[in-house]
Amino acid sequence: IVGVLDIFGFESFKKNSFEQLCINYCNETLQQQFNMHVFKLEQEEYEREGIEWQFIPFPDNQDVLDIIDKKGMGILAILDDQVKTVGGTDKTFANDLYRKCDKHP
């Protein structure tokens, strides 16, 4: 079972696929863009313009995006390295994931 964290919590499936990972990654990226533009940048604009307002807390999912797409250390980069490696297997891919991502939050 693979648990995938998204903005609404965990989705656990008995069988996951690469396509599901891509869908979740796309959703997380869109959520990050939404949060950035609707919350963070707007609140910064309010501060610059001296508008009285109350801070609205919002989730930051950058750590989820990093575990998937960080250059050299994300799941996609590790997978890319494995498919280029002669003799790369599911086991060597999993070992690389554990080794490179073990300190991720």
Side-chain angles (χ1 to χ4, degrees), residues 76-89 92-93 96:
L76 296 178
I78 296 167
L79 180 60
D80 191 47
D81 288 344
Q82 283 295 310
V83 299
K84 293 176 184 175
T85 302
V86 175
T89 65
T92 58
F93 174 58
D96 268 1

Side-chain angles (χ1 to χ4, degrees), residues 63 67 73 97-105:
D63 58 332
I67 195 75
M73 301 298 284
L97 284 175
Y98 287 119
R99 188 172 49 82
K100 293 180 178 176
C101 299
D102 70 337
K103 296 200 180 5
H104 192 273

Side-chain angles (χ1 to χ4, degrees), residues 25-76:
Y25 171 63
C26 180
N27 289 338
E28 291 297 330
T29 302
L30 290 170
Q31 184 67 49
Q32 180 73 344
Q33 287 294 314
F34 177 84
N35 289 351
M36 176 67 75
H37 291 283
V38 172
F39 294 117
K40 186 175 182 182
L41 296 177
E42 283 299 313
Q43 293 184 105
E44 289 173 1
E45 182 73 19
Y46 291 173
E47 286 181 355
R48 278 193 302 276
E49 293 182 8
I51 297 172
E52 198 170 313
W53 60 283
Q54 187 174 19
F55 178 77
I56 300 169
F58 58 92
D60 182 0
N61 63 345
Q62 188 60 53
D63 58 332
V64 174
L65 296 175
D66 287 345
I67 195 75
I68 296 172
D69 73 359
K70 191 171 185 178
K71 300 246 186 284
M73 301 298 284
I75 294 169
L76 296 178

